[in-house]
Structures are given as structure tokens and as C-alpha cells.
């Protein structure tokens, strides 16, 4: 009887007798190689593939045919590889720094600041021109991303440098007495807290605990992501919009709130 029933299904209906509610076996997953800066916690935390931006990126492609593969790279190298067609996207993009790609809606907002040691006694309120004869260490591509006036200062200032590892900026500020470092305030707070708790730096603890002053020379910077194809960009934008509407975006931001303002220097001007 069981054989007859099965034969009837095959001969009469020419369709399977078993319902299949699982996704099609022919659905393919596309891996997206995304350039991710390796030195911007809490926005990206490489140790466990997490952070505000990485979580947003992954969530936006959840339940799609895309799988995100982070490629942790110096910022400048990520841009170069993207333009060479070797990456599918890059976070924290800016049209002025790239000649190709499809840019998403703004994803995150950074508050970049100039940071000085308080014992330097620099005024709280300064102009960008104040940096022209000072030693300045910024993050990679800052001279492009932070506007024309900053770019002009960087070109004319022989003591201006950019570094890939932003944690190094804190050491240069507090141990080497660099006049200013330029970085996002949350990133500074994260790295400052890390050096306070690093047992290997106990001998330099007194220097690494020096109070600082924040100089708000820059307007908040809104960063989109960039993708190699218009379709990937559109899919990301669509899901990002859904995340903002259903509260998922805000939940991710709140998840890292405890890492976003870690600097607690008692004598700080801020």
C-alpha cells in the first residue's frame, strides 16, 4: 500500500509528496569582504568581531543572501584595496576620499576633537590656525576627511603626521608630549581606559594618567558606508531604514553606551 501511494504521487501528480518549507537549496550566499578599520573601538572591536558599526553592518544583512566578512585593515589601505576592486565595501567612507563606489545613507556620527595635555595651558577655544606650528598626530585620512581648512593646515605643517593605530596617539600625547592628537572622543575614551588598566604599563602609569583638554574644532562627522555595487548599497539602505524604524539601531547604540565616554580625568576641562 505504501509503495502504491508513492507511485501514485509520482505518476499522477508528478510532484513531490513531501512539503518543503525550508529555503531553496539553490539559494547562494554572497560573501561581502568589507574593509574595517582595526583601531576604532567602541565603533569596531576586533577582538570579538563586534562594536557599534560592525553590529549595524551585520544586522543590516541578516536574513539576506549576504554574509559579512570583516577585513581589518589600516584605513588608507582599505580605501586603496576598494578602489582596486579587491573589497566589496568600506565603512566610514567619504566621497572626497574615493573615486568610485556607491555610498549609503549616513550610518554613524563621530565627534572628532583636538586633544591636548592640560599642563600645556593651551586655550580652550582655539581656531584651526592655532595648530599650524604645533606637533599634531591624527588618524589616517584625517587630512581629507576633516575639511579643507584642516587639510591646508596639514600640508603646511611639517610636524603633522597620521598614524594607523589610534591607541598609539595616546602614548604620543602623554609620553612624548605631542601638542595635539586628533581623534573621535569615544575612541580616545576607550583607549585611555585601556592604558589605565594595562599591567604592562605600570611604570608609565603617572604619565598616562595626565589630564587632557578637549578642543571642539570640528562639527560632528556623519559617515556612510561605501559598496562596490548599487544593489548591495540599496539593500543595505533599505535594511538600515528598517532598523531605525523598529528600534534595532538604537538598541545597538545603547549596547555600547558604557564604552562611549570612558575618559574620567578629574582635572579635565571637559
Amino acid at each position: 500500500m505504501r509503495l502504491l501511494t508513492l507511485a501514485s504521487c509520482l505518476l499522477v501528480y508528478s510532484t513531490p509528496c513531501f512539503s518543503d518549507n525550508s529555503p531553496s537549496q539553490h539559494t547562494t550566499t554572497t560573501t561581502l569582504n568589507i574593509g574595517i578599520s582595526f583601531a576604532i573601538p567602541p565603533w569596531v572591536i576586533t577582538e570579538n568581531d563586534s562594536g557599534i558599526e560592525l553590529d549595524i553592518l551585520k544586522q543590516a544583512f541578516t536574513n539576506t543572501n549576504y554574509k559579512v566578512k570583516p577585513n581589518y585593515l589600516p584605513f588608507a589601505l582599505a580605501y586603496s584595496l576598494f578602489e582596486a576592486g579587491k573589497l566589496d565595501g568600506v565603512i566610514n567612507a567619504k566621497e572626497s576620499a574615493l573615486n568610485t563606489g556607491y555610498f549609503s545613507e549616513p550610518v554613524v556620527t563621530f565627534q572628532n576633537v583636538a586633544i591636548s595635555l592640560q599642563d600645556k595651558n593651551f586655550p580652550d577655544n582655539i581656531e584651526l590656525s592655532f595648530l599650524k606650528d604645533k606637533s599634531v598626530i591624527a588618524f589616517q585620512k584625517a587630512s581629507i576627511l576633516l575639511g579643507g581648512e584642516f587639510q591646508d593646515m596639514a600640508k603646511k605643517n611639517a610636524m603633522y603626521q597620521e598614524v594607523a593605530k589610534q591607541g598609539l596617539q595616546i602614548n604620543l600625547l602623554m609620553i612624548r608630549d605631542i601638542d595635539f592628537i586628533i581623534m573621535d572622543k569615544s575612541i580616545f575614551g576607550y583607549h585611555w581606559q585601556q592604558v589605565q588598566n594595562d599591567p604592562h604599563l605600570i611604570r608609565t602609569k603617572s604619565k598616562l594618567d595626565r589630564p587632557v583638554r578637549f578642543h571642539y574644532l570640528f562639527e560632528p562627522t556623519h559617515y556612510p558606508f561605501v559598496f562596490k555595487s548599487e544593489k548591495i548599497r540599496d539593500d543595505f539602505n533599505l535594511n538600515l531604514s528598517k532598523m531605525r524604524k523598529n528600534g534595532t539601531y538604537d538598541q545597538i547604540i545603547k549596547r555600547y553606551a558604557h564604552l562611549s565616554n570612558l575618559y574620567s580625568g578629574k582635572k579635565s576641562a571637559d
Side-chain angles (χ1 to χ4, degrees):
M1 177 68 69
R2 191 174 296 173
L3 291 174
L4 180 62
T5 302
L6 179 60
S8 299
C9 287
L10 293 173
L11 295 175
V12 177
Y13 295 102
S14 297
T15 58
C17 287
F18 308 102
S19 63
D20 183 10
N21 294 322
S22 61
S24 172
Q25 295 180 355
H26 299 291
T27 300
T28 58
T29 299
T30 300
T31 298
L32 300 178
N33 286 288
I34 307 295
I36 310 286
S37 176
F38 57 70
I40 56 170
W43 303 99
V44 172
I45 302 173
T46 58
E47 290 79 8
N48 54 8
D49 288 333
S50 66
I52 297 170
E53 291 187 90
L54 196 49
D55 284 6
I56 291 172
L57 180 67
K58 290 179 178 179
Q59 183 63 42
F61 288 123
T62 298
N63 298 322
T64 71
N65 294 333
Y66 302 114
K67 179 182 179 182
V68 172
K69 180 181 179 181
N71 290 247
Y72 297 113
L73 301 163
F75 197 38
L77 179 58
Y79 271 31
S80 297
L81 291 175
F82 178 78
E83 290 193 320
K86 296 181 180 180
L87 289 175
D88 300 301
V90 177
I91 69 168
N92 296 348
K94 200 134 185 182
E95 293 190 48
S96 59
L98 285 168
N99 298 313
T100 186
Y102 296 88
F103 291 83
S104 74
E105 294 296 320
V107 181
V108 293
T109 301
F110 280 32
Q111 179 58 69
N112 290 301
V113 290
I115 306 169
S116 68
L117 292 171
Q118 197 175 75
D119 58 23
K120 292 270 188 178
N121 291 317
F122 293 139
D124 289 338
N125 299 316
I126 59 175
E127 303 291 334
L128 274 171
S129 58
F130 188 82
L131 306 182
K132 66 182 180 181
D133 57 354
K134 307 296 189 299
S135 53
V136 180
I137 305 292
F139 58 89
Q140 282 193 328
K141 293 286 187 180
S143 58
I144 296 175
L145 298 174
L146 295 180
E149 187 178 357
F150 185 83
Q151 185 177 45
D152 186 58
M153 180 282 300
K155 287 180 179 178
K156 295 178 179 178
N157 186 345
M159 294 184 288
Y160 176 85
Q161 290 182 303
E162 295 180 357
V163 296
K165 294 186 177 181
Q166 292 195 261
L168 177 62
Q169 290 177 265
I170 295 178
N171 291 348
L172 292 172
L173 176 73
M174 296 189 172
I175 297 176
R176 299 288 183 86
D177 278 352
I178 292 294
D179 291 326
F180 290 95
I181 59 174
I182 311 295
M183 63 197 308
D184 171 66
K185 191 176 178 182
S186 294
I187 296 174
F188 171 82
Y190 183 91
H191 284 298
W192 180 86
Q193 186 75 1
Q194 291 295 103
V195 299
Q196 302 308 305
N197 298 323
D198 190 336
H200 299 100
L201 300 175
I202 192 69
R203 292 182 179 179
T204 57
K205 182 74 163 58
S206 60
K207 285 193 172 185
L208 291 170
D209 200 23
R210 299 164 74 183
V212 305
R213 176 174 282 115
F214 297 111
H215 307 270
Y216 291 88
L217 296 175
F218 313 101
E219 293 295 323
T221 304
H222 308 290
Y223 284 111
F225 295 170
V226 64
F227 299 99
K228 72 174 184 180
S229 88
E230 188 174 12
K231 184 181 186 312
I232 296 173
R233 187 274 311 276
D234 290 346
D235 289 343
F236 176 81
N237 276 347
L238 176 63
N239 290 324
L240 178 64
S241 177
K242 291 178 180 178
M243 289 167 60
R244 292 186 189 278
K245 291 177 180 177
N246 65 24
T248 304
Y249 180 93
D250 289 336
Q251 289 173 9
I252 292 173
I253 297 294
K254 290 178 181 178
R255 190 183 304 160
Y256 295 92
H258 66 292
L259 299 178
S260 296
N261 192 22
L262 291 177
Y263 177 71
S264 58
K266 295 179 181 178
K267 298 180 182 177
S268 169
D270 189 283

